[in-house]
Structures are given as C-alpha cells and as structure tokens.
Amino acid sequence: MPIHLERSDDGYVFRLGVRAGIGGQETARLPIQQRMNDSPHPVLKEIHSCEVAGRTLEAANQFALREKVAMLLDSIAPARTLPLAYFRVPEMDYELPVYEEDGEIVSPVLSGPKLKAPDLAGIRRAVCNYLISAGYVEEPEQVTVGVLRPRDLRLVEPAAVFRSQVDSDMWLPTVEGISSEGPVIGVLASAARLGEPERPRRGVGPLAQDAAPAAPDVMTLLRLLRAELAPRLDLEGIAGLYASEIRSEIWDAVEARSEEAGTRLVAYLTDDEGTRLELAVRRTATGEVCAALADTGINAFLADSESTLATLVGRHLYASGFLRFAEEIEVHAAEAPRAERLETDAIWTHDDGIAIGGPDSAGVEEPEEVHT
C-alpha cells in the first residue's frame, strides 16, 4: 500500500489509502512527531515517531519511519482490513483485535480459537468469556476496549457506549470522526479498508460508505439510533436506550448544543448520609430533555418529557442500588440564582412613603426650632 509523505501546518504527516471519517470521504493521515535525542552522546540527533493502533513507532528519519508503518499495517491488516477495536487486559499487557469478516465480527486468538459473533456485543461476550476461562481476568469489567479511529489510526476510548435498560446484552460503542458537515460521532459499524474510497457513479444512489449513522453530539445520535431500531423494538425497548461511558469532552459538546430546561431531578440516595442528588435537565434543539449523571462514567438519558426522564433515571439508580424504589425521584423547578451583590436601586424599605436622603429630601419634615 502506498504511503505518501505530506507537509501540513503542524509539520509532516503520512497520507494513507485508508477510508477515514464518517462516511469514508476523508483520507487517513498519521501525524509525525519530531524530538531531539536526550542521550548525552547520541548517534541520532533527532527521532521521528508516530502512533499506529496504539503502538508508537520510532526511526531516525521520516523515510525509515514510513517503512516501519508499512510493515505494521501489513501485520495488523492481513486481509487489508484494519481492526475495528482491541479488547485489552491492561494488567497483563494483553490484547485481542476485532475484525469484520464476511458479515461477521471475528477475533483471532494466536494459537487458540477464532472467536466469532454476529455483532460487537456478541464478540465482546465471547472475548470476555475466553479471557476469563484463560485466567487473564476474573470478571468482564476488567477488560477494556479501544476503538481504532479511522482518521489517524489512533487507539482511543469509545466516545460513548449505547446500552439498554431492557436488554442487558446490548453494547454498541461509538467513535468520533469527521463528516462533510464537520466533527460528528458515529456508531462503530464497519472497519477501515486499505484502499481508496469508491468513486461515485452517475445514476447510482448513495454508496454504502456514505450511509454511516452519525450526528454532531451523542444525544442527537441516540435519537437517530432509536429511530433506526424502532422496527425491531417495542416502545419500552426504544425508551430504554441510553448512552453510557461518555467521555467528558463528548458531554461538553452536548451542553454547548443544548440549554437549561429550568428544572431539576432530585432524589435522596440510600447511603448513610442520605445524600441529596440533584441533576440539571437540559433541552435539546429538537425539544427533548436530557440529563446526565456520573457513576463509573457519565451516563446520559433522553426523553420527551421531564416525567419520562425521571422514570429512566430512577430505573438506573434503582438498578445500581442507589435508590430503594425507582419512583423515588422528583422533578423540581430550578431555583433562581442568588444575586452576588445588590444594586442601589434594588434597596428599599417597607414604608414606601419614606425616602432616603438629606434634610431637604421630599417627604421628610425638618425638626421645629424650640426656644427656651
């Protein structure tokens, strides 16, 4: 696969023949870092490096680094298809790649079985079961996941993971990317391929690479996902979808695109102190309301009304053991912020007929002069 060296505003990059971005309309580029050698008597004065799928490659110059990148891509993409993600055991420094192959999700194990599943949730269960049986971990929560970001082939945490309050097996990670309209978040659905994007042909409908579901923020993507799954789920299953493990900067984008709804969700937790939990409710551009709470990660819920939103949050807190009953959550109006200082015009007395001023002020009688 040809790897081209390009100059960018921040230095040099490697341009790859990999479909990148949400929809595959971008080209993947690997930023090249350059630093001085800290050794007291170095043979090499400069070191060039770049990151590919969680591995940092270093070389004496850009051309030697390009050869290392090519060899690594050949090793991790034997069928010219890059991994979707990696399941990792940080304590053991062990990882398993996940590929898309003939409509299935597979994870080949060196000197072991080839795990298969119809979707990402299924392959996650299969990988976790294998790692537990092999003694790498004791429970699935010890297994972390890193998704391969197509635009620069960096291994990053999912932007968010969609789960369901009704179906505990649902697990759908997302990754941030670039579309023709700017930065978006998309569902991790297909692998990046080592080839140029297919050229559109006249008279042919939209290509499959252009139909990847994506949205500017995670709450909008959740609404699109509900519409996508509506033919297969009932109303309770659709409402039970929520976003979990949201990265902080991803939720910041939601707050930037929404506004305060003027209400709060209030609940008293079951700990010894009876902690009062208060969640701000935000209103999206489409008129829906959402709220987020930080548990093991940021979990966000979306509903068409405050009462439905309170039900969803109450179910989550009850299932997590923070509430005795799912209904123990109330909707309160947000209190007006207290003024930090009082303006002069805001100061008044209870007697409106009394004015504040000197002896010449209107409405104030001067004392009579008394002669003795």
Side-chain angles (χ1 to χ4, degrees):
M1 180 191 67
I3 301 177
H4 304 282
L5 182 64
E6 288 185 350
R7 188 176 183 86
S8 66
D9 296 336
D10 299 326
Y12 288 93
V13 297
F14 288 134
R15 177 169 57 86
L16 310 180
V18 177
R19 296 176 181 178
I22 304 299
Q25 75 285 344
E26 297 290 333
T27 301
R29 288 176 169 83
L30 307 181
I32 301 175
Q33 307 296 329
Q34 182 178 348
R35 60 180 175 85
M36 300 301 297
N37 195 343
D38 297 332
S39 178
H41 302 288
V43 177
L44 300 177
K45 301 298 181 181
E46 295 179 346
I47 297 178
H48 297 76
S49 64
C50 68
E51 181 182 341
V52 181
R55 298 167 176 83
T56 301
L57 305 178
E58 295 183 344
N61 54 62
Q62 299 160 350
F63 304 101
L65 183 62
R66 180 168 58 184
E67 296 297 327
K68 289 189 175 183
V69 170
M71 289 189 293
L72 179 58
L73 290 177
D74 289 338
S75 65
I76 67 175
R80 301 191 65 79
T81 300
L82 292 171
L84 283 171
Y86 284 85
F87 289 100
R88 304 188 68 252
V89 183
E91 292 78 7
M92 298 286 187
D93 195 21
Y94 182 76
E95 63 184 14
L96 289 176
V98 174
Y99 297 88
E100 182 187 18
E101 182 180 292
D102 296 331
E104 290 185 318
I105 308 298
V106 301
S107 179
V109 180
L110 186 63
S111 301
K114 186 176 184 179
L115 307 176
K116 295 183 179 181
D119 52 25
L120 286 169
I123 199 65
R124 177 175 177 266
R125 290 193 300 270
V127 168
C128 290
N129 291 337
Y130 169 78
L131 294 176
I132 292 175
S133 63
Y136 288 100
V137 296
E138 296 181 355
E139 52 187 15
E141 287 71 19
Q142 295 177 270
V143 181
T144 63
V145 61
V147 297
L148 195 65
R149 190 164 57 191
R151 71 169 183 262
D152 56 8
L153 301 191
R154 288 182 179 270
L155 202 61
V156 298
E157 295 181 0
V161 177
F162 290 120
R163 297 179 182 269
S164 173
Q165 294 181 336
V166 178
D167 183 7
S168 59
D169 291 334
M170 182 175 182
W171 185 83
L172 192 58
T174 62
V175 62
E176 67 268 35
I178 301 295
S179 73
S180 57
E181 299 179 356
V184 293
I185 299 175
V187 174
L188 188 64
S190 60
R193 301 186 180 277
L194 300 180
E196 295 295 334
E198 184 179 351
R199 179 178 298 177
R201 296 185 297 273
R202 180 176 298 179
V204 179
L207 301 175
Q209 67 191 36
D210 300 325
D217 61 77
V218 68
M219 288 292 96
T220 305
L221 182 59
L222 176 57
R223 183 169 61 86
L224 295 178
L225 182 63
R226 286 177 173 177
E228 186 81 12
L229 298 178
R232 290 180 285 171
L233 300 177
D234 55 13
L235 294 179
E236 185 179 4
I238 295 174
L241 296 175
Y242 69 98
S244 67
E245 303 175 34
I246 305 174
R247 300 210 310 262
S248 57
E249 64 271 20
I250 301 300
W251 180 251
D252 291 342
V254 175
E255 292 186 338
R257 295 176 55 86
S258 60
E259 59 183 12
E260 286 278 354
T263 53
R264 297 287 189 271
L265 301 182
V266 179
Y268 292 91
L269 306 183
T270 56
D271 55 1
D272 296 336
E273 294 78 13
T275 304
R276 185 177 189 268
L277 177 66
E278 184 173 331
L279 304 177
V281 178
R282 305 193 66 84
R283 190 171 301 278
T284 66
T286 56
E288 296 166 307
V289 289
C290 63
L293 62 91
D295 188 0
T296 54
I298 299 179
N299 302 286
F301 304 85
L302 182 70
D304 55 358
S305 64
E306 282 87 347
S307 59
T308 305
L309 184 64
T311 301
L312 297 176
V313 176
R315 288 177 182 174
H316 180 82
L317 293 174
Y318 171 72
S320 302
F322 293 111
L323 291 180
R324 293 176 300 173
F325 304 99
E327 296 77 14
E328 289 184 331
I329 187 166
E330 302 174 351
V331 180
H332 291 186
E335 297 181 359
R338 181 177 298 178
E340 296 182 359
R341 59 187 297 269
L342 291 177
E343 300 294 339
T344 305
D345 296 339
I347 302 176
W348 57 280
T349 62
H350 292 286
D351 190 350
D352 294 337
I354 299 178
I356 300 177
D360 296 333
S361 300
V364 179
E365 298 181 358
E366 296 183 3
E368 296 181 357
E369 185 178 356
V370 179
H371 299 279
T372 57

